[in-house]
Structures are given as structure tokens and as C-alpha cells.
Amino acid sequence: EAGVGGFFTKTKSEINLFFNLVCDPADVISTVEFNQTGEFLATGDKGGRVVIFQREPQGEYNVYSTFQSHEPEFDYLKSFEIEEKINKIRWLPPHNPAHFLLSTNDKTVKLWKVSEKDKRAEGYNLRDEEGRLKDLSTITTLQVPVLRPMDLLVEASPRRVFANAHAYHINSISVNSDCETYLSADDLRINLWHLNITDRSFNIVDLKPENMEDLSEVITVAEFHPHHCHLLAFSSSTGTTRLCDMRARALCDQHAKLFEEAVDPSRQSFFSEIVSSVSDVKFSHSGRYLLTRDYLTVKVWDLNMENKPMETYQVHDYLRTKLCSLYESDCIFDKFECAWNGTDSVIMTGAYNNYFRMFDRASLRDVTLEASREVCKRRAVLQPRRVCVGKKRKETDVSVDSLDFRKKILHTAWHPKENIIAIAASNNLYIFQDRLTPNGHHNTPEIQSAM
Amino acid sequence: MAGAEGDDSLYPIAVLIDELRNEDVQLRLNSIKKLSTIALALEVERTRTELLPFLTDTIYDEDEVLLALAEQLGSFTVLVGGPEFVHCLLPPLESLATVEETVVRDKAVESLRKISQEHSPVDLEVHFVPLVKRLASGDWFTSRTSACGLFSVCYPHVSSTVKAEIRQHFRTLCSDDTPMVRRAASSKLGEFAKVLELDYVKSDIIPLFTALASDEQDSVRLLAVESGVSIATLLPQEDLEDLVMPTLRQAAEDKSWRVRYMVADKFSELQKAVGPEITKNDLVPAFQNLLKDCEAEVRTAAANKVKVFCESLPEDSRETIIMTHILPCVKELVSDTNQHVKSALASVIMGLSTILGKDNTVEHLLPLFLVQLKDEYPEVRLNIISNLDCVNEVIGIRQLSQSLLPAIVELAEDAKWRVRLAIIEYMPLLAGQLGVEFFDEKLNSLCMAWLIDHVYAIREAATCNLMKLVEKFGAEWAQNTIVPKVLGMANDSNYLHRMTTLFCINALSEVCGQEITTKHMLPVVLKMSTDQVANVRFNVARCLQKIGPVLDSSALQAEVKPVLEKLATDQDMDVKYFALDAISGILAGQNNLPIMMLL
């Protein structure tokens, strides 16, 4: 049975708990990303740490390495603090047995190498293994050190630091399919870097007006096409997404395509522009489609059709009447991410109350699931949730008015090949996976959750 | 005891070996750099059996250490026992050729290429080729990219069966899944083609070239351009049209500006490779298109090539082609919207005058030079000025200078001091070209004005400029024109200007000679020894020391000595210091005179 309807509902689930009982704000997860094979999963948090999980042969993800990627800094020239929060993590395609990833905070992108070491050199000429000096008269021959096996040691080392190129906050990084360049985007500019060169980058998009009072839009997210090294998409706070062709000219200020849906004037309101701001853009794995998330919907665009999306899915349409209070609480500016599954047939995105949504593109069925410690017991079944506007029809229904807007799922990731998803809810990471049943059907998700 | 003696000599080596594992990167690096010393002490047998295996597994180190190691191993053959054992170096270099850091991999490949030459044909097939194959079929792209650079060094020396295998491996890498490997293959294609038999160039390399040049990634296509040029040099003229030209033509019109940029950048090499006929028929229109390209980067690259391209056109039709096809494009570029394009053009456009001759230069080129000389960007103007000499040869300086001068004057007064500085540096050259009369009339006052510039670097350059002018125009000219003006500044109310007088005298005394120095300059310097500003006074002392060798000994005795003695008792420490310094300096210059004569 295909589709999300059957996918996450009538199943037994499994959960693996790594909860941190004391909630430190620095532990709040700020980004989640699988590597190209799905064997590794990286999270970044507000405290500047990166945690890498590795999938065990049995299928569970366990902590592989933890390191401090960014530290808080102070910009003395401009007199402001630079937070250590990790805004984005992107894995590089595999080079060699080590793993490489880019992590960024507001200002600085770093390239990290995570490698394994299982051998150690032994044998000194002048000292014994405890470090005591030997009696020189006992040395009659030279000794070359030899390598001996040791316990596996996973090391993370910073390989490059790409700094001083952004005047505004970096919101995205994306590795090009040519595997030698990547982009970093801030509110107004997109820079192109060579992975081996840290002292210069090329500015390829610049939206900064001569006079900052004329500023009408900011870049919210940017991403490279998965296969074509010359294509990149970036979206803005005005609800548009632009596709740029780097072949056409060195500066990409002029876009090749502009994806924008005409707004029905009768539905215009004070909040129209705010809710239309695009908070995430993802190319499909095939490279044919673009997925965009705005405050209330996710949309699928065909690269060949600019004037309207192919599909629009309502994430939480019931909030349309609550925009005023969401504006007052600043929730309306929350930046929800979105994700494709490995075959581009299902879409996932987060919502409030620790809910996340999935949409099956073929059957048009959708489901709301909850990632919370109360429901995610190991091997538990994930029950679909329903939010109702008026009266509750079922006991399990939740009224709009009782939604908790402080519990939001902003960051989600989908395994590149399998039905495994990672959901970050505050300081908790939930990994749900679809477990093979004895007859080989993919219909049993295992739920694993980690801190 | 012999053993005890041995200990002492072992000690420094023992330290070096231990420091291979030191926690301090710098110490490890130092140790690696002395690897040959270690190997020498261990002797060939232990180097092969102990040191090299250890090094093979130490690829966890910092890049700089690995880089040094990769380099060292390239010249290690003697230390492992000569060519007979050179293959022992392959394992450590193989592991270095797979690390993620490009510079280290490249260095490892370079060393592998180097030691491949020291392999016997048998060892190549038994040891080296298997390594290349392992790298070429490695799991990671890092090893496959390294393999691309190794095919060409072993191919010429192996049997035809192995040759066939090598060609097959190269083919496989050209269609690798990862763009990095295809890029490496694309950039090594030309080099590999050079060692292949011509038949295989046609049957193997051409299809690979065509495929890489139409790769879906422009980062691969752009590297194929250079390889295409190398391949073209290998093919007989009659095959070019069918085998490479369609692909190269396509590259010149590629959708991606980066590919077109590469074509523009390699245009001279391409022109040389394809010969005059294809140049006339194909390259001229292609070059016109590149000069008119919509991307400024491409136009810049093409503009840079204008002169070389025109020079290398076949002589019989050169002038016609330039006048009817190239010059119209150049005219447009002169008023391009992009400053880099104009700047690139300005650096080569003057070269066209020697190719086109006087009449064409005056009629067609001079107006373009003038437009560029008045360009809003100083770099463009500067590039024109720095290439004046070639136009001078063609049309003569008089005509040139009349049109030029206003622009030069304007640059000389530019608000940016670096622009002024650059102009000053061209002054002696211009002076030589314009002649003394013209110079006095138009430029002399500029040169004097720079002496009182508010930027020290300009004043300093102006001083040096005066010296070079005197070298050109002679002492008499100096006495009549610049010396009075320089000496006049000694009475300036600004002490910086008074010091400039001293600096000028420092620079000029030698070129002006003893007479002018003694008669005109010395009195002024001596008078300044009573200046109220200490900086001026100690510069007097330094100046006297500087001009001392030019003066005769009677002047030194009668005039310089008393003044320096007085300065040596000055209240100011620095003045005292420099005065004493000058006294001993002059003494040293007079070498044989007893010190008492001066003191």
C-alpha cells in the first residue's frame, strides 16, 4: 500500500530514547541533515555544536561524533555579538573514508572533516612509552616507530574557515553538483565559493539597493540544482522564487525564471505578504520540481511552469483566522522547512504543537503526526492527529485553540533513499523509520528518538 | 668502547625520528623535511622495511606535513637503494594520492610522475601500472582523479597489451559518475593524447574529447577546451576540420560564459594550433563574436588577445582582416560599459599601431587612444600611457604628444595619489620620448609641483624622478632649470618643503657633478644647519654625508667640517647622532686621511 495514509498509520513503531531531562536553550536543534547515503545524520544546535549520528547495521542511529563547530564571537567594529547557533549543515559528496560537512552560523562557514583513526604509533628512541627519558647509554640502535591497532577514535577537525564575506546573516549554504563550489546566501547577497579557497568568494546575486530605504525584499533561502551545476534557485520574502542560470552571465542579478503565483485581490490582507514569504526551497531529487514552503502552505512547482504551482498543500489552513495573534506573538515569522522523500512522491513539513505533516502527491492523501515524548514510545504506533476548528468529532481531535504554538517543528529531513525521517522538536530529535515486515513490505515504521 | 661512541652520533637522528611523532606540528614538519637524513642513517634496508611502511600509514597528519612528505618521496630513490628498489616508494605515495587535500594529492602525483622515470620497463609493468590501475578503479573520487595524471608517464614504456588496458582505463574515467574525475580526465586529455600513437589519437581521444566537450557540466566542458587545443597540434592539417573543429566551434558558442571565456583565454594557442586557413575562415568570425560577447568576463579575455591575435594573422590578409573585421569590434570595446574590458583593451591596443603602420594609426587608432586616455577609470588611462613607446615608433612623438598632453596633465593631478605616483614613474620615459624642449615647456612645472605634494610617497618619487631627468638631459639643463627651483624651496616656511630641498640634493649631487654641488648646493645646505627645526638639522648632517664623496677635500675641510662639528654639539640627540655619524662616514670615504684632520 503506497502513500502516507498507510505509511505511518496502521503500523507498529519503535522508538529509541535519548532524552535530555534538563532543557538547556543551547540544546535546541537548529538544523538537521542526512548525508548522501543516509548512513549519517547531522544536527546543529543553538550552542554551536554539531552532533553526528551513524546508522548501525540493525538500523538504529547512534551518536558517532559530537564537536563544537562555532563559538560565540563579538564583532568589535560593528559592536554586535555573533551567535554560535548553527544555521545550516550541508554534507559534501564522499571524497575518501572520511566525511566532510559544511556548517554555518550567521557569519562564518566552516568545512569539517570527521575521520576515524584506529592505529597508533609506538616506540620512541629517547623515551619509553610513559614518556620517561631513557638512559642514553642504553641506546645502541635507532628505532623506527611502528603502528599498532587501537580503539576506534572519531575525530572532527576544521579544514577551512570561510569568513568575512557576509555583511548580513547567512541563511543558506548549498554545495554545487560540480563538487568544487558552494554558495552561501545572506539576506541580500549570494556568494559563490571554491571549496579550496577561503580568502575570496564571488558575489553572484546582490539585492542591496543603493539606498537601504528602498529595500523591498530579502533573500530567505538559496539552493543549487542537484544535477545542473549552473542552476540555482533562491526565494524571497515577497513569496517569489527565482531560478538563475550561471551560464548566462557572471552576475545572476537577472533571473532566468521567476516562480510566482498571482494573488487573488479579494483575499489580500495586511498579512498577505508576510505569510507568502518563502521559508524554504528544495529541489526534488529528480531536479525537475521545486518545493517551496510559505507560512500556510507547501507548493510544488514544475521548473517549466512559472505562473502557478502544480500542487498546493495546506499545512494548517485553520490558522488563517488566527494570523493577528500569531503576528503579535511573532510566530508568523517562524521559518518552517520542507523535505522530499527519496522518490519525490511524498512531501513533509513541520507545524505547531509538535505536529508535522506529510502529503502523498499521487493519492493526495495527507496525514498529521505528532513528535513528542508522550506519544513516541519505542516501537509505538504513530497515531494520526486531527485539528478541528469547531466542535470535536472524535475524542482524539485537538481544537485549534488548544494548540501549543511554542512547540514547533521547524527542521525536518528525509533519508535520501529509504523511509526514514528525522524531526527536530526543540531539543529533541526523533528518528522514525519504516521497518521491513517479514513479507518484505515497507509498511512498518520504527520510531527512534534521540536527544 | 665502539658502542658508546656510536651513541653520540645516533642521538641527533634519534631526536629526528622521535619528532616524527611530536605533538607540535612544526617539529613534525621539521623532521619530515629532514627525512633524507633519517633514511641515510637507517640505511637502505631499514628505510625500505621500517621507515616506508611507517610513513605509508601516517596519512592522518596535517596537510603541510603530508605535503612535505609527498615532496620528499619524489627524490628518495637513492635512499631506498637506487632504481632497482624505487618501487618501494609507491605504497606511501599511493596513500598520499588519495587524501582529500588537493595540494597534497597533486604533489604525490608529481612525485609519482618523477619516480616513474626511474622504473625499468619491467618494474613499470609489475609495480607502477598496477598502482595506476588501483587508483583508477578506487572507490573514492580522490584516487581516481590522481590516476588521471599518471597514465601519460607510463604509457610510452609499456607493452602494447598494457597500453590497451591503460587506454581502456582512461576511457572509463572520462565517463566517470563524478564531475571531479571527469574534470581531471578532461584536463589531462591533451597530455595523454601527446603520448598516444596518432591512430589512437584519432580513434580513442577524439570521441572522448567530443564527449567531454559536450558534458552536461560546464565545469567539465571548459577544461576540454585546452585539451582540444593540444589535440589540434597533434593532428595533420587535413584532419582538423573533421575531427576537432566542429567541437571547438561549438565551444566558442557554448551557452555557458565560462566555456566561452576559456576559448577566449586560449585563443592564441588555438590560432597557432589550427594554422592560417582555419584561422581565416573560422577563428576570425569566432573572435569577433567573443569581442562582442554579452558577458564582460568573456569580452575582457578576448580584448586581452587582440594584439597577439592580429600579429599572428597570415601576413597576406592581415591588414584587410584587421581593418574590416577586428577594428570595428575594437571601436565598440573602447566605449564598453565594463571597466575591466576597457582596461584589458587599453593594455594591448597600442600594439596594433606597429601592425597597421603610420597612416592607419593616425586615421583609425589615434582617435581610439584619445578616447581611452580620457576614460573615467584611471587604470584604463594608465594602461595607455604605459604603452606609448610602441606608438611613438610609428607616428612620432610630436603628433602623439599634442593629443596626449592634456590627458597626462589631468592624470598628474588626479585625486588618487597612487595614480599620480604611477604617472611620475612614467615621466623619465616620456621625457626621453618628448625631448628637452617640449618637456620644459609642458611638463617641467608638473615635476616641480610634485615636490610639494602633501603625500610623502609622491615627494619621494618626485625627487627620484628629478635625478632620472638629469641623467637624461644633463647637468647643464639641471643647473638652468631645476636646481634654482629646488634651492629656492630652502627658504620655504614649511619645514617639510625645506627637507625636500635636502632630499633633492641627496639625489642630484652625484648626477650634477662636483662643480654645481660645491658652488650652488653646498652653501644652501650649510646655511640650513642653523634651521630651527631639528629634523631639518639632522637631515643637513645626513645630506652632508651623502654629498661628501662628490666634494673635494678642501671644501670638506674648510666648510663641511666646522658645520658638522657644530652640529655634533647640538642640543638635540638625533642631530648629534647623525652629525657624528656623518663625520665618521666622510672619514671612511676619505679612507686614508687621519681622523685628526677632520676633528
Side-chain angles (χ1 to χ4, degrees):
Chain A
E1 190 167 0
V4 278
F7 178 53
F8 273 109
T9 51
K10 48 182 202 175
T11 55
K12 273 196 288 180
S13 312
E14 203 172 305
I15 187 164
N16 190 8
L17 293 165
F18 288 90
F19 290 125
N20 190 353
L21 293 175
V22 188
C23 181
D24 179 345
D27 293 335
V28 171
I29 295 169
S30 51
T31 181
V32 185
E33 186 79 10
F34 280 102
N35 78 338
Q36 277 78 1
T37 61
E39 192 198 346
F40 292 91
L41 172 71
T43 64
D45 67 23
K46 281 190 89 170
R49 276 167 309 218
V50 170
V51 181
I52 296 173
F53 298 86
Q54 183 184 30
R55 196 177 184 197
E56 303 291 337
Q58 310 88 297
E60 278 181 11
Y61 282 82
N62 281 321
V63 176
Y64 177 68
S65 171
T66 304
F67 58 92
Q68 189 73 34
S69 170
H70 288 69
E71 301 277 355
E73 286 176 82
F74 191 80
D75 183 332
Y76 293 95
L77 282 178
K78 296 184 181 139
S79 196
F80 63 68
E81 283 178 50
I82 301 168
E83 274 185 83
E84 67 274 32
K85 181 183 144 218
I86 307 294
N87 290 343
K88 281 280 154 61
I89 290 175
R90 287 290 179 268
W91 293 84
L92 263 55
H95 286 63
N96 61 15
H99 302 279
F100 296 85
L101 58 84
L102 290 170
S103 63
T104 187
N105 67 351
D106 287 341
K107 296 288 174 187
T108 305
V109 184
K110 293 182 181 178
L111 172 63
W112 289 90
K113 173 187 180 180
V114 182
S115 56
E116 295 182 357
K117 204 170 171 178
D118 59 0
K119 281 182 190 157
R120 197 165 68 91
E122 278 178 15
Y124 283 109
N125 284 294
L126 305 177
R127 279 177 291 156
D128 59 24
E129 283 308 312
E130 278 81 53
R132 287 187 298 260
L133 281 176
K134 288 185 193 168
D135 180 0
L136 287 184
S137 64
T138 64
I139 303 168
T140 52
T141 170
L142 291 171
Q143 190 185 356
V144 178
V146 279
L147 290 158
R148 303 251 181 257
M150 64 166 192
D151 287 344
L152 184 69
L153 178 69
V154 180
E155 286 179 320
S157 48
R159 302 292 298 178
R160 308 248 192 280
V161 177
F162 305 89
N164 305 321
H166 284 279
Y168 304 93
H169 290 181
I170 299 175
N171 53 45
S172 321
I173 43 178
S174 175
V175 181
N176 192 309
S177 59
D178 68 12
C179 303
E180 65 176 356
T181 55
Y182 77 91
L183 67 76
S184 58
D186 67 23
D187 297 339
L188 294 177
R189 297 191 180 102
I190 301 177
N191 292 333
L192 182 66
W193 300 83
H194 192 285
L195 282 163
N196 286 341
I197 300 169
T198 56
D199 61 355
R200 74 195 111 115
S201 65
F202 295 96
N203 179 239
I204 49 175
V205 174
D206 189 349
L207 296 189
K208 190 173 184 227
E210 290 273 318
N211 183 351
M212 281 300 269
E213 281 164 17
D214 300 334
L215 185 68
S216 59
E217 62 175 334
V218 296
I219 299 169
T220 51
V221 57
E223 192 183 52
F224 271 123
H225 190 278
H227 316 305
H228 296 303
C229 67
H230 54 270
L231 288 180
L232 71 98
F234 74 91
S235 56
S236 89
S237 55
T238 57
T240 60
T241 300
R242 277 168 266 198
L243 188 73
C244 297
D245 186 342
M246 301 203 302
R247 291 175 305 181
R249 48 181 64 79
L251 278 179
C252 297
D253 289 355
Q254 285 160 304
H255 53 263
K257 292 189 176 184
L258 179 73
F259 301 91
E260 186 176 25
E261 191 174 20
V263 188
D264 179 0
S266 65
R267 297 190 71 177
Q268 283 275 22
S269 75
F270 171 74
F271 302 109
S272 298
E273 186 171 325
I274 301 176
V275 299
S276 71
S277 174
V278 179
S279 56
D280 198 17
V281 168
K282 291 274 164 63
F283 277 100
S284 63
H285 295 82
S286 66
R288 170 77 188 268
Y289 306 108
L290 271 174
L291 179 64
T292 63
R293 170 72 207 256
D294 55 38
Y295 192 61
L296 295 173
T297 66
V298 269
K299 293 172 179 157
V300 176
W301 304 79
D302 187 327
L303 287 191
N304 299 322
M305 184 166 74
E306 297 166 64
N307 61 344
K308 61 176 196 293
M310 288 171 68
E311 297 150 29
T312 301
Y313 301 98
Q314 300 298 334
V315 178
H316 36 209
D317 203 43
Y318 42 78
L319 297 182
R320 207 172 276 284
T321 54
K322 309 241 164 231
L323 293 178
C324 202
S325 64
L326 289 165
Y327 179 78
E328 279 162 13
S329 63
D330 274 354
C331 286
I332 203 167
F333 301 106
D334 283 336
K335 294 184 86 180
F336 291 98
E337 291 174 5
C338 52
W340 296 91
N341 73 338
T343 55
D344 301 335
S345 61
V346 184
I347 292 159
M348 171 174 63
T349 190
Y352 290 107
N353 209 38
N354 278 347
Y355 288 176
F356 60 97
R357 304 266 289 148
M358 286 186 174
F359 305 93
D360 184 289
R361 296 178 59 207
S363 66
L364 297 180
R365 295 168 70 176
D366 65 276
V367 64
T368 304
L369 298 168
E370 181 177 357
S372 71
R373 287 157 62 173
E374 291 73 31
V375 299
C376 298
K377 300 291 184 279
R378 201 175 164 81
R379 290 176 215 287
V381 180
L382 266 190
Q383 293 297 335
R385 302 288 165 184
R386 249 176 54 87
V387 179
C388 57
V389 183
K391 257 196 180 154
K392 284 188 185 183
R393 275 184 285 165
K394 271 200 269 174
E395 190 54 36
T396 51
D397 285 0
V398 179
S399 155
V400 177
D401 298 314
S402 60
L403 292 177
D404 187 341
F405 290 102
R406 288 165 307 172
K407 293 181 178 167
K408 41 193 141 194
I409 292 177
L410 302 177
H411 313 287
T412 61
W414 203 309
H415 187 289
K417 297 188 181 76
E418 296 177 41
N419 281 327
I420 300 175
I421 55 174
I423 308 282
S426 180
N427 58 335
N428 299 319
L429 175 70
Y430 299 87
I431 301 169
F432 301 106
Q433 48 186 319
D434 183 15
R435 221 171 32 144
L436 277 180
T437 52
N439 59 13
H441 287 299
H442 273 273
N443 63 358
T444 313
E446 176 184 338
I447 302 172
Q448 182 189 351
S449 159
M451 174 34 246
Chain B
M1 220 172 87
E5 267 172 56
D7 294 347
D8 288 349
S9 64
L10 287 182
Y11 183 74
I13 308 292
V15 172
L16 276 181
I17 294 178
D18 284 0
E19 285 187 349
L20 283 173
R21 302 169 45 195
N22 199 294
E23 277 176 21
D24 185 343
V25 183
Q26 196 54 47
L27 291 177
R28 289 205 301 277
L29 188 60
N30 291 344
S31 221
I32 281 285
K33 285 183 174 162
K34 296 202 180 96
L35 206 57
S36 51
T37 314
I38 298 175
L40 210 57
L42 288 172
E43 297 182 2
V44 294
E45 174 77 33
R46 293 192 67 195
T47 300
R48 290 199 299 265
T49 56
E50 294 179 46
L51 185 62
L52 290 179
F54 169 70
L55 294 173
T56 305
D57 281 333
T58 33
I59 53 161
Y60 302 105
D61 216 321
E62 302 285 328
D63 302 334
E64 47 191 328
V65 178
L66 298 183
L67 184 66
L69 177 60
E71 187 169 7
Q72 292 277 314
L73 292 176
S75 42
F76 233 60
T77 311
V78 182
L79 297 160
V80 293
E84 197 185 332
F85 295 99
V86 64
H87 58 84
C88 298
L89 297 172
L90 298 179
L93 284 170
E94 181 176 354
S95 59
L96 288 168
T98 63
V99 301
E100 72 276 6
E101 195 57 52
T102 319
V103 284
V104 177
R105 282 204 311 273
D106 289 351
K107 188 55 86 180
V109 169
E110 194 185 314
S111 288
L112 280 169
R113 289 168 70 111
K114 206 167 151 193
I115 64 167
S116 73
Q117 307 305 318
E118 289 159 328
H119 282 68
S120 67
V122 175
D123 278 352
L124 266 185
E125 289 199 16
V126 177
H127 299 289
F128 198 86
V129 173
L131 168 138
V132 178
K133 288 184 192 163
R134 273 198 304 280
L135 287 175
S137 48
D139 283 343
W140 312 106
F141 80 80
T142 44
S143 78
R144 301 198 299 277
T145 51
S146 292
C148 292
L150 297 173
F151 293 110
S152 63
V153 289
C154 48
Y155 188 85
H157 312 289
V158 294
S159 69
S160 56
T161 335
V162 180
K163 279 184 175 174
E165 287 172 19
I166 292 179
R167 289 196 304 274
Q168 180 53 43
H169 274 287
F170 196 85
R171 257 200 302 278
T172 312
L173 293 180
C174 286
S175 53
D176 197 276
D177 284 343
T178 66
M180 288 75 79
V181 178
R182 295 203 303 278
R183 273 200 297 277
S186 197
S187 64
K188 300 291 180 197
L189 187 66
E191 174 192 293
F192 188 52
K194 276 185 193 146
V195 299
L196 247 61
E197 298 80 356
L198 185 59
D199 282 347
Y200 289 123
V201 173
K202 291 187 198 170
S203 65
D204 283 36
I205 297 291
I206 297 295
L208 294 176
F209 166 62
T210 315
L212 289 168
S214 47
D215 195 280
E216 58 167 13
Q217 292 242 342
D218 57 357
S219 63
V220 178
R221 296 204 299 277
L222 67 91
L223 289 168
V225 172
E226 194 173 359
S227 295
V229 174
S230 316
I231 295 168
T233 56
L234 302 171
L235 293 172
Q237 190 70 28
E238 65 270 21
D239 287 329
L240 285 175
E241 184 51 49
D242 289 343
L243 298 181
V244 291
M245 283 317 290
T247 310
L248 287 173
R249 246 177 249 136
Q250 180 192 317
E253 288 166 6
D254 198 282
K255 256 186 134 172
S256 167
W257 68 268
R258 295 202 290 169
V259 178
R260 299 197 303 273
Y261 173 91
M262 281 306 267
V263 175
D265 196 49
K266 302 282 167 233
F267 218 80
S268 325
E269 292 89 336
L270 181 59
Q271 192 182 4
K272 212 176 284 167
V274 299
E277 274 313 302
I278 293 181
T279 298
K280 268 193 258 182
N281 301 332
D282 272 288
L283 296 195
V284 172
F287 194 60
Q288 283 176 289
N289 287 336
L290 292 171
L291 289 172
K292 291 186 213 153
D293 199 276
C294 61
E295 171 57 46
E297 300 276 352
V298 178
R299 294 199 302 278
T300 306
N304 266 319
K305 302 286 169 191
V306 164
K307 184 193 158 195
V308 212
F309 179 75
C310 293
E311 259 175 0
S312 322
L313 284 169
E315 211 160 323
D316 54 349
S317 49
R318 187 188 293 157
E319 191 173 323
T320 333
I321 293 177
I322 299 177
M323 296 306 293
T324 53
H325 298 292
I326 306 298
L327 204 60
C329 301
V330 170
K331 278 184 184 155
E332 279 174 45
L333 289 186
V334 161
S335 44
D336 199 276
T337 48
N338 184 290
Q339 61 159 313
H340 301 292
V341 176
K342 289 188 287 190
S343 174
L345 183 68
S347 65
V348 297
I349 191 175
M350 316 289 274
L352 290 181
S353 53
T354 33
I355 306 172
L356 288 177
K358 183 168 178 175
D359 293 344
N360 281 328
T361 300
V362 174
E363 192 183 337
H364 299 286
L365 293 179
L366 206 54
L368 302 182
F369 301 163
L370 276 175
V371 175
Q372 291 220 295
L373 257 179
K374 289 175 192 146
D375 198 276
E376 59 180 319
Y377 297 104
E379 204 185 301
V380 178
R381 304 193 297 253
L382 211 56
N383 281 347
I384 289 290
I385 300 216
S386 24
N387 291 295
L388 276 181
D389 44 346
C390 43
V391 186
N392 182 18
E393 285 163 23
V394 181
I395 61 166
I397 200 68
R398 186 52 64 172
Q399 189 157 18
L400 191 59
S401 57
Q402 278 163 4
S403 37
L404 268 180
L405 203 68
I408 293 176
V409 172
E410 205 179 305
L411 281 182
E413 289 159 355
D414 197 281
K416 294 197 184 77
W417 70 266
R418 285 176 204 279
V419 175
R420 299 200 297 276
L421 186 65
I423 280 291
I424 296 177
E425 279 160 11
Y426 288 112
M427 262 308 141
L429 175 82
L430 272 177
Q433 292 171 351
L434 293 168
V436 63
E437 212 174 299
F438 192 86
F439 182 85
D440 281 347
E441 189 183 319
K442 310 277 188 188
L443 296 177
N444 196 0
S445 55
L446 268 182
C447 291
M448 301 315 289
W450 282 322
L451 288 175
I452 52 169
D453 198 282
H454 62 272
V455 176
Y456 176 76
I458 298 293
R459 297 198 299 274
E460 193 190 23
T463 312
C464 183
N465 173 45
L466 286 188
M467 181 182 79
K468 289 185 181 148
L469 290 176
V470 176
E471 279 172 0
K472 281 227 153 63
F473 295 150
E476 196 184 331
W477 172 81
Q479 194 184 338
N480 296 331
T481 51
I482 60 167
V483 171
K485 289 185 189 163
V486 166
L487 297 182
M489 282 164 57
N491 301 317
D492 200 292
S493 58
N494 185 333
Y495 85 98
L496 290 173
H497 296 171
R498 297 201 293 280
M499 295 217 298
T500 304
T501 300
L502 293 171
F503 297 145
C504 286
I505 291 173
N506 287 345
L508 293 176
S509 64
E510 201 181 319
V511 281
C512 285
Q514 196 182 58
E515 196 193 326
I516 297 176
T517 307
T518 319
K519 262 198 198 150
H520 301 279
M521 296 178 178
L522 185 60
V524 176
V525 179
L526 296 175
K527 203 179 139 212
M528 289 169 87
S529 68
T530 55
D531 199 287
Q532 61 190 357
V533 178
N535 289 33
V536 176
R537 293 200 302 279
F538 80 63
N539 271 301
V540 166
R542 293 174 72 180
C543 180
L544 287 173
Q545 178 177 0
K546 181 91 202 207
I547 65 174
V550 185
L551 302 171
D552 61 22
S553 55
S554 64
L556 279 177
Q557 276 300 315
E559 301 178 65
V560 176
K561 183 188 133 190
V563 171
L564 282 178
E565 277 170 359
K566 189 166 163 254
L567 287 175
T569 59
D570 200 281
Q571 289 175 326
D572 188 277
M573 248 174 53
D574 291 323
V575 179
K576 253 192 223 174
Y577 171 81
F578 283 110
L580 288 169
D581 202 41
I583 291 169
S584 56
I586 289 172
L587 267 179
Q590 302 248 310
N591 51 42
N592 292 330
L593 288 181
I595 194 161
M596 289 313 293
M597 280 190 68
L598 268 171
L599 292 179

